[in-house]
């Protein structure tokens, strides 16, 4: 019995040891597999974001232990995910605040409008509207192709003002349909100003409309000023037929303001240093001095323009050009007390046609060379012009002692009626009773006159050229001038040191013109000096 129990105990012990070994072996394999699994996840932690989610899910639900319990993780590498890796989320940026902007100005057509009434102008002819005009300009100056409006049916009293650049936008339109009047209070003018309304350093400016600029200049005309142009030399040729005719027109009735206004008389409307400017439609009347002046401008267009002042208004040129180029003037009527159009030094490429002139002193080049200065004028055309009751027709006038030249001038198809002297060259221009002779002179060459016809009341032609620098290349074609004796003694044609050719017979005969060129070899024309 004992032996049996011993045997059974041995066998049972042996069986128990075998079972224990198997259990220990299985437990050891499972731990190795778990270790490999941990090593794999650590190695591929950065490989794919998709694996991060798998690992997190396995940790939370124990799926990793279940799969690795079969030993697959220790024998086979896991397949890479077939899903496209998703990029890391970008940082969220806050939207910029929506800043409200002021609405753009209202437009009419293609232009932004600025009306002087909206800026405080009264337009009653009594209130000083100068500031309102200045404020309107300040606003319109900032907008390209804007329109400055001076409305009709209003009268605006405006003092001296400058509508200036150069920082204004281009192509501004000054729409003048109302009336602008100048102040007659002498205190407004101080010691005197050279201009009343001035536009400076602008590009593409247009002044248009059917309005009026009234300089109210009668209070100025009766005062002789040292700044005035001299009285034309041709007055000394006006010898009356009887004592009832006066050489100079009587002065107008004196005003109570005479003697109080400054001696410097302003130009009504002046452009300075501007490009491509246009004046059309408007009327300038009764200017204290010049009505419209262009100084240092390039590209000037004036058409359908009117000047209206009495013939006895001293030094009231209609249009005055100085140091300006590429000028076109046409379809205009100019009535004033001095030159309808005055062309001064520095002008070239000037074309004038279809202009009515009178009363006035005609269309003139000059005076040039005053105080021994240099003057240069070239390429001037004046054609299809009518003149009635003017002092001169077409004229060139220079001072003795001047330098420079006038060349390339054409006066064509000029119709004159009761004009005192239709054709004039005067190189002895003088503002005194007598001027001393000087050797130097502005050279005149290439002056052509053709189809100048009508009536004269004093002299048909007056050519007075320099003794030391004669006029050359003067041509006359189809000149027909008939005398009309009304108030003054008549003279025949006069020529002095004038050389050229008669291309056709003239009426009356102009026999005084010397055919050909001067014989002196000392005559020098310095056409490159300007």
């Amino acid at each position: 019995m004992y032996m049996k129990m011993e045997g059974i105990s041995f066998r049972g012990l042996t069986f128990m040891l075998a079972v224990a070994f198997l259990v220990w072996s299985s437990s050891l394999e499972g731990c190795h597999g778990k270790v490999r699994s941990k090593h794999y996840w650590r190695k591929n932690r950065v490989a794919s974001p998709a694996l991060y989610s798998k690992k997190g899910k396995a940790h939370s639900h124990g799926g990793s232990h279940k799969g690795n319990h079969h030993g697959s993780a220790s024998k086979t590498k896991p397949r890479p995910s077939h899903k496209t890796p998703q990029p890391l989320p970008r940082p969220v940026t806050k939207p910029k605040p929506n800043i409200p902007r002021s609405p753009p100005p209202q437009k009419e057509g293609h232009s932004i409008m600025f009306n002087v009434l909206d800026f405080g102008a009264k337009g009653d002819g009594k209130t000083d509207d100068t500031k309102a005009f200045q404020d309107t300009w300040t606003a319109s100056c900032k907008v390209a192709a804007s329109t400055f409006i001076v409305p009709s049916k209003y009268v605006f009293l405006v003092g001296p003002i400058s509508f200036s650049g150069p920082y204004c936008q281009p192509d501004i339109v000054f729409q003048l349909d109302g009336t602008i009047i100048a102040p007659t209070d002498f205190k407004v003018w101080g010691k005197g100003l050279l201009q009343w309304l001035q536009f400076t350093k602008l590009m593409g400016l247009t002044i248009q409309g059917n309005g009026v600029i009234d300089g109210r200049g009668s209070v100025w005309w009766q005062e002789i000023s040292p700044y005035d142009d001299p009285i034309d030399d041709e007055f000394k040729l006006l010898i009356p037929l009887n004592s009832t005719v006066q050489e100079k027109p009587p002065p107008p009735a004196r005003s109570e303001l005479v003697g109080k206004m400054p001696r410097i008389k302003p130009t009504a409307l002046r452009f300075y240093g501007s490009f491509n400017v246009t004046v059309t439609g408007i009327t300038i009347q009764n200017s204290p001095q010049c009505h419209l002046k262009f100084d240092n401008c390039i590209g000037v267009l004036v058409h359908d323009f009117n000047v209206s002042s009495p013939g006895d208004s001293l030094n009231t040129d209609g249009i005055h050009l100085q140091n300006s180029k590429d000028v076109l003037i046409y379809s205009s009527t100019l009535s004033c007390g001095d030159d309808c159009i005055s062309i001064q030094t520095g002008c070239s490429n000037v074309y004038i046609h279809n202009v009515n002139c009178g009363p006035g002193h005609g269309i003139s080049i000059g005076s040039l060379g005053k105080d021994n200065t240099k003057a240069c004028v070239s390429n001037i055309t004046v054609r299809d012009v009518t003149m009635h009751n003017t002092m001169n027709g077409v004229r060139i006038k220079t001072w003795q002692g001047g330098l420079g030249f006038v060349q390339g001038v054409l006066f064509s198809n000029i119709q004159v009626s009761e004009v005192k002297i239709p054709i004039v060259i005067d190189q002895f221009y003088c503002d005194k009773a007598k001027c001393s002779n000087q050797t130097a002179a502005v050279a005149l060459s290439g002056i052509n006159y053709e189809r100048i016809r009508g009536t004269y009341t004093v002299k048909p032609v007056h050519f007075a050229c320099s003794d030391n620098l004669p006029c050359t290349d003067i041509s006359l074609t189809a000149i027909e001038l008939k005398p009309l004796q009304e108030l003054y003694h008549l003279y025949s044609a006069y020529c002095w040191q004038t050389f050229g050719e008669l291309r056709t017979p003239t009426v009356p005969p102009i026999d005084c013109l010397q055919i050909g060129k001067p014989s002196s070899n000392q005559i020098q024309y310095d056409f490159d000096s300007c």
Side-chain angles (χ1 to χ4, degrees), residues 142-222:
K142 299 175 182 178
V143 181
S146 62
T147 301
F148 183 116
I149 298 179
V150 182
S152 62
K153 301 180 181 179
Y154 290 89
V155 179
F156 300 93
L157 175 63
V158 178
I161 189 172
S162 179
F163 304 99
S164 59
Y167 302 110
C168 287
Q169 294 297 313
D171 303 327
I172 297 174
V173 175
F174 193 100
Q175 184 70 35
L176 175 59
D177 293 316
T179 299
I180 301 175
I181 61 174
T184 55
D185 183 357
F186 63 91
K187 296 178 182 179
V188 174
W189 300 99
K191 294 182 179 180
L193 296 172
L194 294 175
Q195 51 272 328
W196 169 31
L197 308 175
Q198 179 171 231
F199 292 83
T200 64
K201 299 180 181 179
L202 299 168
M203 182 175 294
L205 177 76
T206 297
I207 295 183
Q208 66 181 26
N210 53 18
V212 176
I213 296 175
D214 188 349
R216 300 205 283 182
S218 60
V219 297
W220 306 78
W221 300 332
Q222 299 170 44

Side-chain angles (χ1 to χ4, degrees), residues 11-312:
R11 286 195 299 271
L13 179 62
T14 302
F15 177 77
M16 292 174 65
L17 290 173
V19 171
F21 176 79
L22 291 173
V23 171
W24 174 84
S25 176
S26 175
S27 175
L28 181 62
E29 183 180 358
C31 289
H32 285 184
K34 188 175 182 179
V35 171
R36 286 195 184 99
S37 176
K38 287 183 178 181
H39 178 71
Y40 171 79
W41 288 112
R42 183 169 61 249
K43 181 178 180 181
N44 294 279
R45 182 171 295 175
V46 188
S48 172
L51 299 181
Y52 286 115
S53 60
K54 287 184 178 181
K55 178 181 178 183
K57 186 175 182 179
H59 277 290
S60 60
H61 298 284
S64 175
H65 295 281
K66 184 178 180 180
N68 289 337
H69 181 72
H70 296 285
S72 62
S74 62
K75 297 178 182 179
T76 308
K77 295 181 179 180
R79 295 179 180 180
S81 171
H82 293 288
K83 296 181 179 181
T84 304
Q86 299 298 318
L88 296 175
R90 295 181 180 179
V92 178
T93 58
K94 296 182 179 180
K96 295 181 179 180
N98 187 14
I99 302 175
R101 297 182 179 180
S102 59
Q106 296 297 318
K107 294 184 178 181
E108 290 188 18
H110 301 287
S111 179
I112 299 177
M113 322 294 278
F114 297 93
N115 193 317
V116 294
L117 296 177
D118 297 332
F119 289 82
K122 301 301 181 183
D124 57 9
K126 299 177 181 179
T127 305
D128 186 353
D129 289 326
T130 307
K131 185 179 185 303
F133 271 61
Q134 192 69 70
D135 291 344
T136 309
W137 177 258
T138 300
S140 59
C141 169
K142 299 175 182 178
V143 181
S146 62
T147 301
F148 183 116
I149 298 179
V150 182
S152 62
K153 301 180 181 179
Y154 290 89
V155 179
F156 300 93
L157 175 63
V158 178
I161 189 172
S162 179
F163 304 99
S164 59
Y167 302 110
C168 287
Q169 294 297 313
D171 303 327
I172 297 174
V173 175
F174 193 100
Q175 184 70 35
L176 175 59
D177 293 316
T179 299
I180 301 175
I181 61 174
T184 55
D185 183 357
F186 63 91
K187 296 178 182 179
V188 174
W189 300 99
K191 294 182 179 180
L193 296 172
L194 294 175
Q195 51 272 328
W196 169 31
L197 308 175
Q198 179 171 231
F199 292 83
T200 64
K201 299 180 181 179
L202 299 168
M203 182 175 294
L205 177 76
T206 297
I207 295 183
Q208 66 181 26
N210 53 18
V212 176
I213 296 175
D214 188 349
R216 300 205 283 182
S218 60
V219 297
W220 306 78
W221 300 332
Q222 299 170 44
E223 291 291 335
I224 302 297
S225 169
Y227 302 97
D228 290 338
D229 289 333
I231 301 299
D232 284 336
D233 275 358
E234 288 73 22
F235 273 110
K236 64 179 178 286
L237 301 176
L238 306 183
I239 300 177
L241 292 175
N242 54 60
S243 58
T244 61
V245 179
Q246 298 178 346
E247 292 186 13
K248 298 179 184 179
R254 294 182 66 83
S255 166
E256 61 181 8
L257 293 174
V258 172
K260 295 182 179 180
M261 305 302 287
R263 301 185 71 185
I264 300 176
K265 304 173 184 178
T267 291
L269 178 59
R270 179 184 183 237
F271 291 85
Y272 175 80
S274 297
F275 295 85
N276 297 333
V277 296
T278 299
V279 177
T280 179
I282 69 169
T283 296
I284 304 179
Q285 64 188 29
N286 301 325
S287 176
Q289 200 178 51
C290 294
H291 288 77
L292 176 61
K293 179 183 288 187
F294 296 93
D295 196 352
N296 281 276
C297 294
I298 298 177
V300 172
L301 174 61
V302 179
H303 65 94
D304 299 286
F305 167 70
N306 299 288
V307 166
S308 179
S309 290
D312 58 1

Side-chain angles (χ1 to χ4, degrees), residues 134 185 193-194 306 310 340 342 351 361 378 400 402 462 494:
Q134 192 69 70
D185 183 357
L193 296 172
L194 294 175
N306 299 288
C340 292
S342 173
Y351 191 91
H361 291 189
S378 63
Q400 292 188 74
H462 181 81
Y494 174 82

